[in-house]
Amino acid sequence: MDNIYNIVSDMDVPVGMTVRTKCPNCGERTFTVTNNMGSLVWNCFRASCNVKGGTRVRISVDDIRAGFGGVQEFAEDTFDLPPYVVDNLDNLFLKRFCATWGIDPKELGLMYDVKEDRLVFPIRHEGRIVDATGRSLSKRLPKWKRYGKSGLPYTSGCGKVAVVVEDCLSAAVVGYGTFVGVALLGTSLQESHKRYLSQFSTAIVALDPDALPKTLLMAKELRGHVNDVRVLRLTDDLKYRNPTDMENLHGIINH
Ligand SMILES: [Zn+2]
């Protein structure tokens, strides 16, 4: 603990700032140090580590003035998941939830929000996590929480055919083989979605069955960006793996 105290004091965290860094104890990037008007607090949010502590540090009058802006979330301006979103997937409710939907959280690179008890679907762009969305595993609302503001869709899989769906679960279910599940995380098609989808030569729009007019409209809109746009008429949401729907999905690309 003496060691951590020294490391944290040496970091010179400015007043009103939180810095996220590698944990001196477990080595994960789940360690934060906050300087709240000279009260230095540190925490590791990894469940199996949980190092925490605090001390007072000397601050100047200028520091105090600068600190009146209140504590800022993070010093870095690039997106970082909150430190309480961790790789550890050992939570029982998480396991049950994934088993129910037939998805492998490890294979999909999913994460767990220990603070709000959410299954987190990271949104990756050029190898980096730029955003994420988390599904509540308890009664906590909202059911889905967005962590960033990238506007990018959640995607799953590495095939050549995009399957446009509404939610992450459907994207995860459908993202195998030739398919990439692309979840809009809502029902509207945004500019960022169109830009992302333009890299595919084929896109299949497969929204909920009750959203057919919207599906047709979206397909029309996408035709300006993707060569081959198809509409899959669903009997059920794709995440339910209705056999007829799955058969039609495979049939659609063989025509
Ligand atoms: Zn740690």
Side-chain angles (χ1 to χ4, degrees):
M1 269 319 208
D2 261 8
N3 194 19
I4 290 182
Y5 172 85
N6 286 335
I7 292 167
V8 167
S9 304
D10 282 349
M11 280 172 65
D12 268 333
V13 178
V15 169
M17 286 289 192
T18 296
V19 168
R20 177 178 177 168
T21 185
K22 233 180 181 184
C23 175
N25 186 49
C26 70
E28 294 291 318
R29 261 178 70 82
T30 43
F31 188 76
T32 62
V33 186
T34 301
N35 185 343
N36 192 359
M37 297 303 263
S39 154
L40 207 60
V41 179
W42 62 88
N43 264 305
C44 177
F45 286 91
R46 196 182 184 201
S48 57
C49 174
N50 235 344
V51 161
K52 64 175 82 169
T55 186
R56 300 282 313 171
V57 286
R58 205 182 284 271
I59 55 170
S60 69
V61 176
D62 284 346
D63 284 340
I64 294 169
R65 258 188 224 118
F68 273 122
V71 173
Q72 288 176 20
E73 262 293 281
F74 292 103
E76 300 153 301
D77 56 0
T78 53
F79 177 79
D80 242 332
L81 276 173
Y84 46 81
V85 175
V86 298
D87 290 326
N88 191 313
L89 300 168
D90 280 338
N91 181 277
L92 181 66
F93 294 99
L94 183 151
K95 284 181 182 168
R96 276 192 198 150
F97 182 85
C98 291
T100 302
W101 292 102
I103 57 172
D104 182 341
K106 208 168 206 172
E107 195 187 307
L108 293 168
L110 306 186
M111 297 173 87
Y112 178 58
D113 180 334
V114 295
K115 189 175 146 202
E116 295 200 359
D117 195 23
R118 293 175 183 278
L119 174 63
V120 176
F121 295 76
I123 297 171
R124 292 185 171 84
H125 183 64
E126 288 166 355
R128 272 192 63 244
I129 295 177
V130 294
D131 200 342
T133 179
R135 168 64 152 79
S136 176
L137 297 170
S138 62
K139 291 198 170 105
R140 184 189 284 269
L141 295 172
K143 199 165 164 188
W144 289 95
K145 174 184 165 168
R146 190 77 185 252
Y147 293 88
K149 299 185 184 82
S150 73
L152 288 171
Y154 169 77
T155 64
S156 177
C158 44
K160 288 180 182 158
V161 176
V163 182
V164 181
V165 296
E166 282 171 36
D167 65 288
C168 292
L169 276 170
S170 294
V173 164
V174 83
Y176 64 91
T178 42
F179 301 120
V180 176
V182 180
L184 303 180
L185 309 175
T187 47
S188 70
L189 190 67
Q190 291 166 20
E191 283 308 313
S192 52
H193 297 144
K194 289 180 205 164
R195 232 175 296 130
Y196 176 81
L197 285 165
S198 66
Q199 66 182 297
F200 295 93
S201 54
T202 306
I204 300 169
V205 184
L207 304 187
D208 294 1
D210 58 353
L212 190 63
K214 199 168 254 178
T215 300
L216 296 174
L217 201 71
M218 194 178 287
K220 198 175 159 194
E221 228 183 318
L222 261 185
R223 284 196 177 104
H225 304 266
V226 183
N227 254 344
D228 186 6
V229 180
R230 318 269 181 107
V231 168
L232 181 65
R233 286 174 183 251
L234 295 170
T235 47
D236 219 335
D237 201 354
L238 265 187
K239 60 177 172 280
Y240 296 105
R241 300 173 205 258
N242 179 293
T244 312
D245 289 338
M246 296 318 264
E247 205 174 294
N248 288 343
L249 177 64
H250 285 272
I252 212 170
I253 52 161
N254 296 325
H255 284 287

